[in-house]
Amino acid sequence: MAGRTNTPGQTVSRRLLAVLDTFDVAHPALTLTEVATRSGLPVSTARRLINELRAWGGLERLDDGRYHIGMRLWTIGALAPQQRGLRAAALPYMHDLFQATQENIQLTVLEGTQALCIEKISSTKAVPTLTHIGGRLPLHATGVGKAILAFSGEELFSSVTEAGLARMTPHTITQPGRLAAALAEVRASRVAYAYEEMTLGAVSVAAPVLGLDGRVLAALGIVAHSRAALDRLAPAVRTAALGIARWAN
Amino acid sequence: MAGRTNTPGQTVSRRLLAVLDTFDVAHPALTLTEVATRSGLPVSTARRLINELRAWGGLERLDDGRYHIGMRLWTIGALAPQQRGLRAAALPYMHDLFQATQENIQLTVLEGTQALCIEKISSTKAVPTLTHIGGRLPLHATGVGKAILAFSGEELFSSVTEAGLARMTPHTITQPGRLAAALAEVRASRVAYAYEEMTLGAVSVAAPVLGLDGRVLAALGIVAHSRAALDRLAPAVRTAALGIARWAN
DNA sequence: TCCGCATTACCACTGGGTGGGAGAACCAAT
DNA sequence: ATTGGTTCTCCCACCCAGTGGTAATGCGGA
């Protein structure tokens, strides 16, 4: 910007967005100094930007002085088409699946080299999963992840393997070769499994939601307790994914 | 900002946010010139700001050159606590209600002088409603709106009536006096009805979700076809709202 | 090919942005 | 009550990032 900048080359906008970036799932509410520290901005600057956002409705202030994301941002975020169109198309199918199984149902899309959960239906009875709406999952260790990865081309596969296949449990696939083999199977069957590769005690089936051009729009998955249940659920998930694809295109 | 500003007094941040504001439910995707026109900014300026947002991930570009809200904004918006906490608390109850009734279930919060829909469950069988997630509803002509209004104090009531009670159908309450009487009844029964006041052919029951301090956190409502069904549904809605309040506090 | 509109690129000019620092406010410990 | 530390709020001299007119380029349709 202008003035006595410490770090020239930074635009105002970038700073403003950096303020927003300080908030995440682990830090939904922050004080002024926390925002300043996490964003690397001087306190004065952070304060001015926060107030600007506050006047607009993007940030709100709690009684204890901490700030948190406001409804204005939520409203605008809800316009993101990946989630808008897909969600509308997927929800009825997800409810059907949920009614039939009472297990966790999740809908994810690709974001970078991770799977982003855009919708989730769960009950208190289902397996507790770490995932929340807006949360991210690794592509190599989850059913939904593999369903996306299998239909996303060589390029993504490379960047994922190069980034390293992090081991989450003893069952996680950490060798690129074994992952490639698993993905080939997914392509053939159009269904992806994950057996306690992400969390011990949780298994999952997932199916890709494919666009007319063959690209993956999303992946629909169920997380359940027992391995046995999966074979019974797989056809249901595949059918639901096909149904969603029909509406989403 | 700096430079040959046409409208001094405008901050960069305000312009950046004005760009975001050009997107809404009716205009989820816009071209550069549309953004410039709707925001009142020169094309050059709009372009620079758009690119700044794009680099960050807040906007994305379609093949046809149009821009739309990106997943980055959605992810951050998902952190808004009003929707995060409430949604998590409400979803199980909403599913229960949906399973039992197969009608539209909606969860709304107060935003300004309107009700903002933060979650909705519907099926193809249910009454088609205009509402979508992220959409706004008038406070005086809907069940959820009245449930919120009834427990929100005199101040809000004044601003709503002063803004004018817009007539949506012949059944809409447009006289402040009659509205006040209706709200008193809501306060007594803790349940709000709306009989074709918003849309002909659609009736609704709603109940407020009250915080420990007595303030309304949200309103839970069902939209159905027939007036007869409402009396049957009212206790269920009230119970569910109480259940949600227990978790949300 | 020509015309009209949307998008991209450039750049001289300047006012909005910057951040250090001073003071207020708050809290906990002494 | 006093001290010391931390966080928040406010101010303002300095100046560089932001601005937007203009021109070039791209893209269809007539």
Side-chain angles (χ1 to χ4, degrees):
Chain A
M1 330 269 125
R4 351 186 112 178
T5 309
N6 282 347
T7 54
Q10 279 271 46
T11 65
V12 186
S13 320
R14 209 172 288 282
R15 289 166 207 234
L16 189 80
L17 300 172
V19 167
L20 292 182
D21 272 335
T22 57
F23 296 89
D24 60 36
V25 208
H27 308 83
L30 298 168
T31 65
L32 169 59
T33 25
E34 282 171 332
V35 171
T37 311
R38 286 169 61 84
S39 63
L41 295 170
V43 184
S44 327
T45 305
R47 200 177 112 84
R48 193 163 14 83
L49 295 176
I50 285 178
N51 282 335
E52 207 100 40
L53 281 165
R54 205 144 75 93
W56 178 68
L59 286 182
E60 288 169 17
R61 190 168 199 187
L62 298 168
D63 294 334
D64 61 3
R66 290 188 305 164
Y67 299 94
H68 64 77
I69 300 295
M71 287 309 281
R72 186 80 167 249
L73 269 172
W74 179 79
T75 317
I76 289 187
L79 295 171
Q82 283 110 316
Q83 83 92 21
R84 233 167 83 86
L86 263 175
R87 239 190 75 100
L91 269 179
Y93 291 96
M94 293 178 70
H95 283 134
D96 288 350
L97 271 181
F98 179 73
Q99 274 190 344
T101 64
Q102 297 293 321
E103 299 281 10
N104 292 298
I105 318 289
Q106 39 187 234
L107 183 69
T108 62
V109 297
L110 177 65
E111 201 208 33
T113 57
Q114 292 186 300
L116 176 67
C117 177
I118 64 170
E119 187 57 86
K120 179 190 170 189
I121 302 182
S122 63
S123 77
T124 45
K125 303 162 204 160
V127 196
T129 50
L130 308 167
T131 331
H132 281 294
I133 293 186
R136 293 178 181 78
L137 295 166
L139 291 177
H140 70 287
T142 58
V144 283
K146 285 194 241 178
I148 291 175
L149 199 46
F151 293 89
S152 288
E154 198 58 37
E155 199 181 331
L156 181 64
F157 180 79
S158 308
S159 25
V160 169
T161 50
E162 275 166 26
L165 306 176
R167 156 152 279 139
M168 326 293 294
T169 74
H171 303 93
T172 308
I173 300 178
T174 54
Q175 300 163 28
R178 285 193 53 211
L179 182 57
L183 295 180
E185 226 170 281
V186 174
R187 270 187 290 272
S189 64
R190 307 230 152 191
V191 175
Y193 294 91
Y195 301 114
E196 305 192 84
E197 294 163 30
M198 177 70 190
T199 317
L200 289 175
V203 298
S204 71
V205 219
V209 178
L210 297 171
L212 293 175
D213 54 359
R215 289 169 53 86
V216 220
L217 300 173
L220 179 72
I222 295 189
V223 182
H225 307 77
S226 80
R227 200 153 164 160
L230 287 194
D231 294 324
R232 188 165 50 78
L233 295 174
V237 176
R238 230 190 104 182
T239 314
L242 288 172
I244 295 171
R246 211 175 9 260
W247 289 99
N249 280 300
Chain B
M1 322 270 130
R4 349 186 116 175
T5 309
N6 283 346
T7 54
Q10 281 269 50
T11 66
V12 186
S13 319
R14 210 173 287 282
R15 289 164 206 235
L16 190 81
L17 300 172
V19 167
L20 292 183
D21 272 335
T22 58
F23 296 88
D24 59 36
V25 207
H27 308 83
L30 299 167
T31 65
L32 169 60
T33 24
E34 284 171 330
V35 171
T37 311
R38 287 168 60 83
S39 63
L41 295 170
V43 184
S44 327
T45 305
R47 200 176 111 86
R48 192 161 16 83
L49 294 176
I50 286 177
N51 282 334
E52 208 100 39
L53 281 165
R54 206 146 73 94
W56 178 66
L59 287 181
E60 288 170 17
R61 191 166 199 190
L62 298 167
D63 294 335
D64 62 3
R66 292 189 303 163
Y67 299 93
H68 64 79
I69 300 295
M71 287 309 281
R72 185 80 168 251
L73 270 173
W74 179 80
T75 317
I76 289 187
L79 296 171
Q82 282 111 318
Q83 82 92 22
R84 234 167 82 87
L86 263 176
R87 240 191 73 101
L91 269 178
Y93 291 96
M94 294 177 70
H95 283 134
D96 287 350
L97 271 181
F98 179 72
Q99 272 188 341
T101 65
Q102 296 293 322
E103 300 280 8
N104 292 298
I105 318 289
Q106 38 188 236
L107 183 71
T108 62
V109 296
L110 175 65
E111 202 211 31
T113 57
Q114 292 185 300
L116 176 66
C117 176
I118 64 169
E119 186 57 86
K120 180 191 170 187
I121 302 183
S122 64
S123 78
T124 45
K125 302 163 204 162
V127 196
T129 50
L130 306 166
T131 332
H132 281 295
I133 293 187
R136 293 178 180 78
L137 295 166
L139 290 177
H140 70 288
T142 59
V144 283
K146 287 194 242 177
I148 291 174
L149 198 46
F151 294 89
S152 287
E154 199 58 37
E155 199 182 329
L156 181 65
F157 180 79
S158 308
S159 27
V160 169
T161 50
E162 275 165 27
L165 305 176
R167 155 151 281 139
M168 327 294 293
T169 75
H171 304 92
T172 308
I173 299 178
T174 54
Q175 300 163 28
R178 285 196 51 213
L179 183 58
L183 295 181
E185 225 170 280
V186 173
R187 269 188 291 273
S189 64
R190 307 235 152 186
V191 175
Y193 293 91
Y195 302 114
E196 306 191 81
E197 294 164 31
M198 177 71 190
T199 316
L200 289 174
V203 297
S204 70
V205 220
V209 178
L210 298 172
L212 292 175
D213 53 0
R215 289 170 52 85
V216 220
L217 299 173
L220 178 72
I222 294 190
V223 182
H225 307 76
S226 81
R227 201 153 164 161
L230 287 194
D231 294 325
R232 189 166 48 79
L233 295 175
V237 175
R238 230 189 105 182
T239 314
L242 287 173
I244 295 171
R246 212 176 6 262
W247 289 99
N249 279 301

